[in-house]
Amino acid sequence: QQQVKQSPQSLIVQKGGISIINCAYENTAFDYFPWYQQFPGKGPALLIAIRPDVSEKKEGRFTISFNKSAKQFSLHIMDSQPGDSATYFCAAWVTGGGNKLTFGTGTQLKVEL
Amino acid sequence: NAGVMQNPRHLVRRRGQEARLRCSPMKGHSHVYWYRQLPEEGLKFMVYLQKENIIDESGMPKERFSAEFPKEGPSILRIQQVVRGDSAAYFCASSALGQGIANIQYFGAGTRLSVL
């Protein structure tokens, strides 16, 4: 059972555009939602994270929007750049729930010139 | 401060052989996690260890897979009698804390296992 569903699977955006990746979860016990960025041949790196008591968090060009009632959250990348081309994973975690991250299936983002 | 170090980066094994994957956590981190990433899929949790203890192995296959994190030395993920379905990228992560919202997991670059 996929507990965190991520879409789209792949995304092509023009340079300067907005990239939007969506995730939905089922387990209401999840209370921490990080996003990871992974370049080819590298491990995932934490990009930005949010707790469910906040509806939005912004760090530079990256923004997480969170809708607790809909059990959905999304990553917005403003002014997308070719260097943002990577695979993005949403994840979720239950504090005190064994420390295991549950990952979405990933979105392969390509930013074209 | 070196990050999470995994070796080897690439490992090729024939069916039936053993695979040993090593992970040295970040300096000061005593919590280690192993995840497996199959092609076109997200990372799946396998096991969570602290020094000399397995805390949660709910994601580990029941047979052929084992993990340890000894008092001295790196954490080891061991796969006995590998099969083609074991071909995947195996990632190790470490954290400084065992619980709480600040328990950020930092990932290594992974070991890509290919079973011929």
Side-chain angles (χ1 to χ4, degrees):
Chain A
Q1 183 184 14
Q2 182 65 39
Q3 291 197 56
V4 178
K5 295 182 179 180
Q6 184 172 347
S7 63
Q9 188 175 356
S10 62
L11 181 61
I12 298 175
V13 173
Q14 296 300 308
K15 181 174 180 284
I18 303 174
S19 304
I20 302 175
I21 304 171
N22 301 300
C23 285
Y25 63 97
E26 299 165 6
N27 185 354
T28 54
F30 286 143
D31 58 1
Y32 180 64
F33 301 88
W35 283 88
Y36 282 84
Q37 179 188 54
Q38 184 180 26
F39 292 104
K42 304 291 186 183
L46 179 65
L47 191 62
I48 185 172
I50 197 168
R51 296 180 63 176
D53 53 353
V54 175
S55 61
E56 185 175 284
K57 183 174 182 180
K58 184 176 181 180
E59 289 184 2
R61 296 185 294 108
F62 300 91
T63 300
I64 300 178
S65 297
F66 191 87
N67 185 331
K68 188 174 181 179
S69 61
K71 293 186 288 185
Q72 296 176 348
F73 58 109
S74 59
L75 175 69
H76 295 232
I77 306 175
M78 313 300 286
D79 187 26
S80 298
Q81 300 296 314
D84 297 331
S85 298
T87 301
Y88 293 81
F89 293 96
C90 60
W93 147 305
V94 177
T95 300
N99 296 346
K100 51 192 169 190
L101 284 163
T102 299
F103 282 86
T105 50
T107 295
Q108 201 165 0
L109 171 66
K110 183 177 182 181
V111 181
E112 293 183 334
L113 293 169
Chain B
N1 186 11
V4 178
M5 303 301 292
Q6 289 188 249
N7 68 83
R9 292 294 309 276
H10 300 274
L11 182 61
V12 179
R13 285 288 178 266
R14 296 191 180 280
R15 280 178 297 168
Q17 291 184 321
E18 178 179 286
R20 280 185 179 238
L21 288 62
R22 296 175 186 78
C23 170
S24 296
M26 284 180 70
K27 186 177 181 180
H29 287 190
S30 59
H31 302 264
V32 166
Y33 316 82
W34 286 92
Y35 292 82
R36 177 164 63 175
Q37 185 177 31
L38 295 169
E40 309 299 325
E41 293 188 17
L43 286 79
K44 296 283 197 300
F45 169 82
M46 298 181 74
V47 62
Y48 162 38
L49 310 103
Q50 285 181 258
K51 287 284 187 180
E52 299 184 280
N53 285 306
I54 296 175
I55 308 301
D56 181 352
E57 55 181 347
S58 59
M60 287 276 273
K62 294 289 185 284
E63 298 177 351
R64 302 187 298 107
F65 285 72
S66 62
E68 62 177 7
F69 189 17
K71 187 176 180 181
E72 301 291 336
S75 174
I76 305 286
L77 179 67
R78 182 183 178 202
I79 311 172
Q80 295 178 289
Q81 299 176 324
V82 296
V83 300
R84 287 215 173 109
D86 296 333
S87 295
Y90 292 83
F91 290 95
C92 169
S94 73
S95 69
L97 301 173
Q99 56 185 322
I101 208 74
N103 183 18
I104 295 173
Q105 295 182 24
Y106 296 88
F107 283 80
T111 294
R112 279 142 186 88
L113 173 65
S114 297
V115 180
L116 303 179

